[in-house]
Amino acid sequence: QKNETPEILDRFRVQYVNAISNGLYGIYAFSSKNGIINNKYTSANADAGIYIGQCKPCSTLIYENQAEINGIGLQGANASKELYVYSNNFSDNRTGIQFLSETKEKKSPQESVYIVSNTASNNNNGQAPTTKPDLFGFGIMIAGGNKNFIQYNRTENNDLVGIALVENGDFLPSENTFENNISRENGVPFGFDLAYIISGRPDVMSMGNCFTSNSFSSSSIDKIESVLSCSSAQPGPFKSQPLKKITIPVAPDYTQVPPTQMNKENKPGEIDMVPKKLGKITKPDLSDLGAPAA
């Protein structure tokens, strides 16, 4: 069956890399598994600074990276299971993080990713290039994904939504958990800190999606943590307010974005010491991670 296509690449590392000013992606991990993407810097990439897609299970760690001035800081399309995104900074892009289900690639739907302790703030950068001009002003977006865990992230000062849960085509999001995130000063006055919106529908069903213990000021559903509690959510329907339209700045061509330089040194470590053979990735210990400092 088409969703059972074997992976092209098994075992990979991308570390200590600057990926700058590419027409599509900075780092592109497609149909791959058992990998590490760590301690890298991406800027001025028109599609995404980091991309991972068509993997189930991905069995990949994405951590301690910085992505800015990209169309999207991190994008995951049909990227599912054993995928851990933590302790990254995806700020000052047009959109910070997007995970989505889609039909262009195999292994849909997208599901079961841990997105923990990341910063995705100030993603309103009109000077960033893009291939998706309408994707602007979002901190973290789950589009038609299922069973994802979005925890202890900080999303502030994004023009439309700090944390958004939406559909993508015929894919409706279900069983996503949002807890202990700090989402403040987003969407003023156009959107929300937390949003669960299905285009063209004034009402949404719970679909097992839940919100608890988040720090926020505004949401598209009134009393969202009460009616979509992670312990006793009702099925719905719930009225969800739409986003207001904003004027999205025209993006420059990626070739016209001045090169940037990392503002910090690489973390210590000798690339020569990386083992030649990388074994199967296991779940990292995320228990000590909290929301990043402002």
Side-chain angles (χ1 to χ4, degrees), residues 54-77:
Q54 192 174 291
C55 50
K56 187 184 288 189
C58 298
S59 300
T60 294
L61 309 180
I62 300 176
Y63 67 103
E64 296 177 353
N65 302 288
Q66 180 180 352
E68 63 180 0
I69 323 177
N70 302 284
I72 308 171
L74 167 68
Q75 184 179 51

Side-chain angles (χ1 to χ4, degrees), residues 4-19:
E4 295 179 354
T5 302
E7 279 73 18
I8 296 172
L9 178 64
D10 185 2
R11 300 193 300 272
F12 67 94
R13 286 182 187 259
V14 183
Q15 296 178 289
Y16 306 99
V17 172
N18 289 3

